[in-house]
Amino acid sequence: EVQLVESGGGLVKPGGSLRLSCAASGFTFSSYSMNWVRQAPGKGLEWVSSISSSSSYIYYADSVKGRFTISRDNAKNSLYLQMNSLRAEDTAVYYCARVGNSYYWYFDLWGRGTLVTVSS
Amino acid sequence: EIVLTQSPGTLSLSPGERATLSCRASQSVSSSYLAWYQQKPGQAPRLLIYGASSRATGIPDRFSGSGSGTDFTLTISRLEPEDFAVYYCQQYGSSPKSYTFGQGTKLEIK
């Protein structure tokens, strides 16, 4: 089955760190660009970060630049998000999402998400 | 940075009616880079439309997308009970490389 499964969310204090993982299965992970997208409780979707298939190109939203690091391990079919200096406004469900086509740049496969709560 | 504004914020309609959702960009967007998603409570978003007008795999033909430049529209020709959800438009920006979502339109049962 083609799927993405996130893990690693939880409760963390402001200023703390957390590492999210996304396990891919059912498709050739190394052929696709991947992204993290988050959704604060009751709010809309916000793109967080993007990484190309070979990790050559990495991009971040301004809101997380310098604090979050995206990476991937194609041998393990896994995507990661290292989150440091966490703030209350980082509280959200974090989804990993696959770029289905590098011409149209849409997200065609999403995980179910993992909840990150930043609170003292 | 391009801002996407969706309207209306909430749309109240009955099953069988036609729904028209708008997505307006603050500057011109390539049609190739405009997508629409549906999200139901507690679920991940689902891709409906890409390239402004191409339906994703498995999406019923009652969903259609149109538009160009700064104005894009998602139309649901005849609403089914399962269509009541939140809809987001999204664009890909090449300089700087980033993705932007609209704030969403909630389609609710009247």
Side-chain angles (χ1 to χ4, degrees):
Chain A
E1 182 185 0
V2 176
Q3 63 176 356
L4 299 169
V5 179
E6 302 92 339
S7 61
L11 176 63
V12 61
K13 289 182 169 52
S17 297
L18 211 55
R19 188 194 196 208
L20 306 183
S21 299
C22 171
S25 59
F27 65 98
T28 305
F29 178 73
S30 59
S31 296
Y32 292 87
S33 293
M34 298 295 297
N35 290 261
W36 289 97
V37 176
R38 68 184 180 183
Q39 186 169 36
K43 302 299 184 183
L45 300 167
E46 180 189 16
W47 170 75
V48 172
S49 183
S50 177
I51 186 167
S52 63
S53 58
S54 61
S55 304
S56 298
Y57 302 99
I58 288 175
Y59 307 98
Y60 298 98
D62 288 343
S63 58
V64 306
K65 201 172 294 182
R67 301 187 298 123
F68 290 10
T69 302
I70 191 172
S71 63
R72 64 190 296 161
D73 185 335
N74 287 342
K76 295 183 177 179
N77 292 330
S78 293
L79 175 72
Y80 306 102
L81 186 68
Q82 177 67 42
M83 304 185 296
N84 298 331
S85 303
L86 283 161
R87 306 166 179 167
E89 55 264 36
D90 296 318
T91 294
V93 174
Y94 284 74
Y95 297 100
C96 63
R98 183 181 78 175
V99 172
N101 182 293
S102 56
Y103 177 77
Y104 293 102
W105 299 100
Y106 53 79
F107 303 138
D108 70 332
L109 179 66
W110 297 67
R112 298 183 69 174
T114 186
L115 176 62
V116 172
T117 303
V118 184
S119 175
S120 55
Chain B
E1 178 185 317
I2 295 178
V3 176
L4 299 179
T5 302
Q6 293 185 240
S7 61
T10 302
L11 185 58
S12 300
L13 294 170
S14 300
E17 290 193 291
R18 180 185 185 90
T20 302
L21 287 66
S22 174
C23 176
R24 178 162 289 179
S26 58
Q27 55 187 282
S28 186
V29 171
S30 168
S31 296
S32 298
Y33 300 157
L34 197 287
W36 289 91
Y37 300 85
Q38 176 194 68
Q39 188 179 34
K40 297 180 180 179
Q43 296 185 17
R46 176 174 74 143
L47 176 69
L48 298 175
I49 300 288
Y50 66 91
S53 60
S54 297
R55 270 187 303 277
T57 302
I59 300 304
D61 60 8
R62 64 180 181 274
F63 290 91
S64 64
S66 63
S68 64
T70 60
D71 290 296
F72 298 88
T73 300
L74 175 69
T75 301
I76 311 171
S77 58
R78 281 171 46 141
L79 286 166
E80 297 287 344
E82 62 267 27
D83 297 337
F84 292 92
V86 179
Y87 292 84
Y88 295 94
C89 58
Q90 170 248 313
Q91 72 92 26
Y92 165 74
S94 57
S95 182
K97 287 194 181 349
S98 63
Y99 298 86
T100 307
F101 291 91
Q103 83 280 15
T105 289
K106 182 179 181 180
L107 179 56
E108 64 177 24
I109 299 177
K110 187 174 182 179

